[in-house]
Amino acid sequence: MSLPSREQLVSVAEQSEAQRGGRRSILSRQSRDHADLDALMTAYDAEPDAAARGRVVAELAERALRHAFAEETVLFPAYRRHLPEDADLTAHIQGDHQRINELLEALQTADPHAPGYDAQVREAFAVIRHDAHDEEDELLPRLQRVASPAQLRAIGNAWEVQRRTSPTRPHPKIPRTPPGNVLTGIPLAVSDRVKDGVDHALPRGSRVRTVALAAGAGLVVAGVRAARRR
Ligand SMILES: [Fe+2]
Ligand SMILES: [Fe+2]
């Protein structure tokens, strides 16, 4: 069976919520989250203060990474089960996710006041927008042709549960496909939340902060080892 081309498909952006399979369908959930990511990119453009721009990028990074991790562990495996002849499309999108992880990792430690910061941010935004278009214009409409509305809602619910518990920081070195990402994702999600808590609670350079981060690192190593033994 030949796959429909992009031009033969109706983009998620041009469908009503009912056509997408309802509010909980993966098409509707993806559309809403892509819109939230787009709103953050617009907020960055409108923000004149460099430090505030850095905070917008941090918020966008966390949201984009959780969104993408849940795709890699829930949506793309479901897509490959429904359309095993189209693994090339998810491989292409995973390549973009890898690039997003690398760019956001570099931005984590970049200074928003530095001359090259804005260009780095623009490159990350371009890949995030391209990724959303590939999914809304091609991957999701193709899935919609072979999955029932009930199946689209089941995938949407599973994706949302995974998104809420996903790692919050960039991890370009972990695999982008199961089972590697699933096994490493759980301890990394715990470790990321330890670091998020430390970032909010303790000043940079303090001894307590160093100890807290070391404890978080120990936790993730133990978690990865335990996951590999199962
Ligand atoms: Fe994506
Ligand atoms: Fe997406």
Side-chain angles (χ1 to χ4, degrees):
M1 183 184 77
S2 67
L3 292 160
S5 70
R6 210 165 170 131
E7 293 69 34
Q8 294 172 301
L9 298 164
V10 180
S11 170
V12 171
E14 291 160 21
Q15 297 187 34
S16 68
E17 196 167 84
Q19 288 172 316
R20 293 173 186 156
R23 182 170 176 74
R24 292 183 175 170
S25 142
I26 185 64
L27 278 68
S28 297
R29 290 187 188 275
Q30 282 275 318
S31 175
R32 285 197 297 276
D33 217 41
H34 290 161
D36 287 347
L37 290 169
D38 213 58
L40 284 166
M41 291 188 257
T42 304
Y44 173 90
D45 287 336
E47 178 55 65
D49 178 68
R53 282 185 147 203
R55 287 193 290 277
V56 173
V57 169
E59 187 182 343
L60 171 82
E62 179 182 334
R63 191 163 195 110
L65 292 164
R66 292 165 74 142
H67 178 110
F69 188 86
E71 289 173 350
E72 291 163 9
T73 49
V74 173
L75 173 57
F76 299 166
Y79 184 84
R80 289 189 289 265
R81 278 196 298 280
H82 282 279
L83 288 158
E85 69 276 33
D86 195 22
D88 285 357
L89 181 57
T90 52
H92 167 78
I93 296 176
Q94 282 160 193
D96 284 343
H97 285 193
Q98 177 65 25
R99 186 71 189 130
I100 290 168
N101 268 266
E102 290 164 1
L103 290 165
L104 294 179
E105 186 182 50
L107 281 168
Q108 253 190 338
T109 50
D111 178 359
H113 298 87
Y117 183 82
D118 187 58
Q120 277 182 283
V121 171
R122 302 275 167 208
E123 189 179 353
F125 283 7
V127 189
I128 290 169
R129 285 195 166 110
H130 177 82
D131 181 57
H133 276 295
D134 278 347
E135 290 160 8
E136 292 202 17
D137 299 346
E138 196 158 359
L139 181 136
L140 293 164
R142 279 190 190 171
L143 179 63
Q144 186 180 29
R145 285 196 167 201
V146 293
S148 68
Q151 287 172 322
L152 295 175
R153 285 193 290 276
I155 297 167
N157 292 340
W159 176 78
E160 178 59 21
V161 168
Q162 181 66 73
R163 191 184 73 80
R164 288 178 190 219
T165 54
S166 287
T168 60
R169 295 178 179 234
H171 296 289
K173 294 186 180 66
I174 68 168
R176 305 255 73 88
T177 51
N181 57 359
V182 177
L183 289 174
T184 51
I186 298 164
L188 286 172
V190 174
S191 148
D192 285 354
R193 279 160 180 76
V194 171
K195 289 178 185 163
D196 293 344
V198 170
D199 272 354
H200 282 117
L202 301 169
R204 286 185 184 274
S206 78
R207 183 167 158 69
V208 182
R209 177 191 166 88
T210 306
V211 171
L213 287 173
L219 197 63
V220 72
V221 169
V224 169
R225 283 184 182 150
R228 282 183 178 152
R229 280 198 295 272
R230 296 182 69 188

